Amino acid sequence: MSVSIIVAFITGVLGPILLLFIKNKLEKKAEKPDMVLETLKVSELVMTKLDHIKEEYKGDRVWVAQFHNGGNFYPTGKSMAKFSIIYESVAPSVSSIQGNFHNIPVNLFSRSINQLLENDIIEIPDFKDETVATFGLKYIAEDTGCKSGYLFAIKTIDDKFIGTLGLDYTKRKTKLDMESINHLQQHSASIGGVLMTHLQQ
């Protein structure tokens, strides 16, 4: 048998079979992304963004809470809406609040969550100022040592409310200007894009 016949056989018969085998392997990998790897990538992107916000606005604590289901009501079996702080970046000597906000029923914060749903933002430059609406968050601020707080709704591109970006000041009262508020809303939208990309995979 000549070399040219062997080469023709390999490229003509085995080549397409080998290509199909490789294509199938690649498609199977593409269909099922590694959940842990994807979660770590998203976490790194979000944490980088939170660290950037903390540095840029000289914040003491920056966090992201996400809505999720968490158990069922008895006896209807209807799913409960809850939220948890999933990501958090804190400055040195500032206490973390992430462990305190895990599986919290949405109805416990209905005033503040409704405000975010309808207006996308809560601005509280001074929690002790009685003329500033705190939407039921004043006692939380006292418990967590927060002097000023800014919360931004995280929404999907089709306007679904999926979470909250929070910026806390614990060392000093801080009033942000409108340019900063607008820029933080852009950060919130960007985080929403990252989270939705992850949730859709």
Side-chain angles (χ1 to χ4, degrees):
M1 191 182 277
S2 73
V3 173
S4 58
I5 293 174
I6 293 171
V7 170
F9 175 76
I10 290 171
T11 56
V13 176
L14 295 180
I17 293 171
L18 186 60
L19 283 175
L20 280 173
F21 176 76
I22 292 170
K23 182 182 171 201
N24 285 339
K25 284 286 189 190
L26 291 174
E27 284 176 354
K28 283 182 182 175
K29 276 189 177 180
E31 288 171 13
K32 295 182 181 180
D34 184 330
M35 184 176 73
V36 173
L37 183 62
E38 288 301 314
T39 300
L40 292 173
K41 283 181 185 177
V42 167
S43 182
E44 185 176 342
L45 287 170
V46 173
M47 288 305 298
T48 299
K49 179 72 82 176
L50 295 187
D51 289 338
H52 172 76
I53 291 168
K54 186 178 69 186
E55 296 302 317
E56 184 176 355
Y57 297 98
K58 297 177 178 35
D60 299 311
R61 185 169 44 227
V62 186
W63 48 269
V64 168
Q66 284 183 265
F67 297 114
H68 56 87
N69 63 7
N72 301 92
F73 286 104
Y74 177 82
T76 63
K78 187 174 178 182
S79 183
M80 294 179 193
K82 293 189 176 183
F83 71 89
S84 297
I85 292 182
I86 306 296
Y87 305 100
E88 180 187 47
S89 177
V90 295
S93 76
V94 175
S95 61
S96 169
I97 60 171
Q98 187 172 17
N100 298 335
F101 290 90
H102 184 71
N103 283 329
I104 306 296
V106 166
N107 64 303
L108 293 180
F109 290 87
S110 58
R111 287 180 59 209
S112 55
I113 291 173
N114 273 326
Q115 174 67 12
L116 287 169
L117 180 64
E118 293 172 11
N119 299 303
D120 295 332
I121 184 171
I122 294 175
E123 298 176 63
I124 308 170
D126 183 359
F127 272 103
K128 290 190 176 176
D129 184 345
E130 298 293 332
T131 65
V132 175
T134 59
F135 305 99
L137 298 173
K138 189 171 187 171
Y139 76 96
I140 295 295
E142 290 169 357
D143 286 350
T144 60
C146 186
K147 294 182 178 175
S148 302
Y150 297 85
L151 285 75
F152 302 87
I154 298 174
K155 294 187 175 179
T156 64
I157 203 158
D158 56 346
D159 210 36
K160 286 193 175 92
F161 187 18
I162 62 168
T164 304
L165 167 65
L167 172 59
D168 297 343
Y169 293 90
T170 62
K171 296 174 183 168
R172 69 196 180 290
K173 291 181 284 190
T174 303
K175 180 159 179 57
L176 297 177
D177 59 24
M178 201 44 141
E179 184 180 346
S180 298
I181 295 293
N182 290 337
H183 196 213
L184 283 161
Q185 285 181 305
Q186 291 171 3
H187 282 303
S188 180
S190 171
I191 290 169
V194 170
L195 294 176
M196 275 314 293
T197 302
H198 175 63
L199 292 173
Q200 290 172 344
Q201 290 180 346

